[in-house]
Each structure stands twice: as structure tokens, then as C-alpha cells.
Amino acid sequence: MQKPYTCIWSNVSAKEMADYYVSVFKDSKILTTSYYGDYGDKRKDTDGNILDQPAPGTVLAIQFEMMGQKFMVLNGGIDFPQTPSMSLVAPCDTQAELDALWDRMLKDGGTPQQCGWLSDKFGVNWQICHSSMDKMFGSGNQKKIDAAMLEVMKMIKLDIAQIEKAFNEA
């Protein structure tokens, strides 16, 4: 059975988004690209209103692999903005890797948020964190989890040494 994968909605920038993510994350590649055909007036919303028709040949969807995980970006043609209610988690193995990814995504037009989150230039929300955080927050030791979380909540970009220190000293 096929494993579920994430589809990221885009109004018109699917190609730019897929190309960007493939350039930012190592071991990533474009898998497939599909295009709109000529649908005439067949594209309708739930009320029966005819939707604007993208020109035939416009990118419909791009499937890509990002660090071993399959994703799809869809040019939906309707402006559904991204929200922080869904985010992608990018665990990094070192502070240097975390810093580089954070800086790259902000330099390219992202917006920093609290607790290691940022919104990239497309409005997609990311949690740029350290791979050790899964172990810490999954430890079952609530006192240590609380101490680490209190540190995370004080930060914009995460400082993993400070978070681990709080966790270990609790």
C-alpha cells in the first residue's frame, strides 16, 4: 500500500516551490510534473460557478522527493493561504546545519516565528529543530520535558545546547 504523503497547495507557483525545496534540502529531486489540459468550462466550484481556466500547458502538479520523503505541490488556481495550523518539521543533526537552514530560508524571503518556526517565502510553515528533540520530548520525564519546553518558548531560532542543558539539569 502506498504511504500517505503531503500535498502543498499553491495558487500558481508549484514549479518555483518544488525547485526551491529541491535546492535547499540535500538528497532531493523532482519526480514528475503534470500539466493542465484544455478543460473548457468543466472546472466548477461546489456552487456550480465556472472557475478560471489555467492555460493549457500550465503546471498542474509536481511530485518531488525531499530527503527520502515524497511531496507534491499543486497549482490549485484558487488562493488558499497557508496557515501555521500545518507545518513541516525539518530536524537537523547539528547546530551548524540548523543555523544554515534557518539562515537560508530567511535570506530567501522567510519570516521568523517563535520556538524555531519560520514561514518560508511561499508562506509554508516550518519547524527548524534538532534531531535530539524527538528523544527529549518523547522521554516521558515530564519535569525534563517542561524544562526543555520553557527554553524553547524563549527562543526564535533554537539553540540546541541551551535546550539540552535545561533538559539534562532538570
Side-chain angles (χ1 to χ4, degrees):
M1 175 181 240
Q2 172 65 43
K3 295 179 183 177
Y5 59 94
T6 301
C7 175
I8 304 170
W9 185 273
S10 167
N11 191 19
V12 295
S13 57
K15 179 167 179 20
E16 183 184 357
M17 289 174 78
D19 288 345
Y20 176 71
Y21 297 138
V22 166
S23 76
V24 169
F25 293 94
K26 61 185 175 190
D27 301 323
S28 300
K29 62 185 176 186
I30 302 293
L31 301 173
T32 63
T33 303
S34 58
Y35 301 90
Y36 279 100
D38 185 2
Y39 305 123
D41 64 355
K42 296 177 183 165
R43 290 188 69 222
K44 296 180 181 178
D45 65 16
T46 56
D47 294 324
N49 300 310
I50 296 173
L51 298 172
D52 289 338
Q53 171 64 43
T58 300
V59 170
L60 169 62
I62 298 178
Q63 291 185 354
F64 63 102
E65 188 174 282
M66 187 166 54
M67 299 179 70
Q69 176 68 39
K70 183 177 174 181
F71 290 84
M72 179 172 68
V73 181
L74 172 69
N75 272 338
I78 301 171
D79 191 17
F80 288 135
Q82 301 290 331
T83 72
S85 64
M86 194 288 299
S87 62
L88 299 173
V89 179
C92 301
D93 291 329
T94 66
Q95 184 70 46
E97 184 182 338
L98 185 151
D99 292 345
L101 179 57
W102 180 269
D103 293 345
R104 165 83 188 266
M105 293 182 97
L106 291 182
K107 176 185 74 97
D108 292 341
T111 304
Q113 299 172 9
Q114 191 167 344
C115 302
W117 288 46
L118 62 79
S119 177
D120 71 21
K121 67 182 181 176
F122 303 106
V124 175
N125 293 280
W126 292 83
Q127 296 180 50
I128 311 299
C129 60
H130 192 269
S131 54
S132 67
M133 293 176 73
D134 285 344
K135 184 176 179 182
M136 283 188 281
F137 289 102
S139 71
N141 185 324
Q142 196 60 51
K143 183 178 177 184
K144 289 179 173 282
I145 293 168
D146 289 348
M149 191 61 197
L150 285 171
E151 287 303 310
V152 168
M153 291 173 64
K154 296 176 190 175
M155 299 177 184
I156 301 295
K157 179 176 71 174
L158 299 184
D159 178 335
I160 195 59
Q162 194 171 336
I163 297 165
E164 287 176 339
K165 180 179 180 201
F167 179 85
N168 292 327
E169 290 180 356

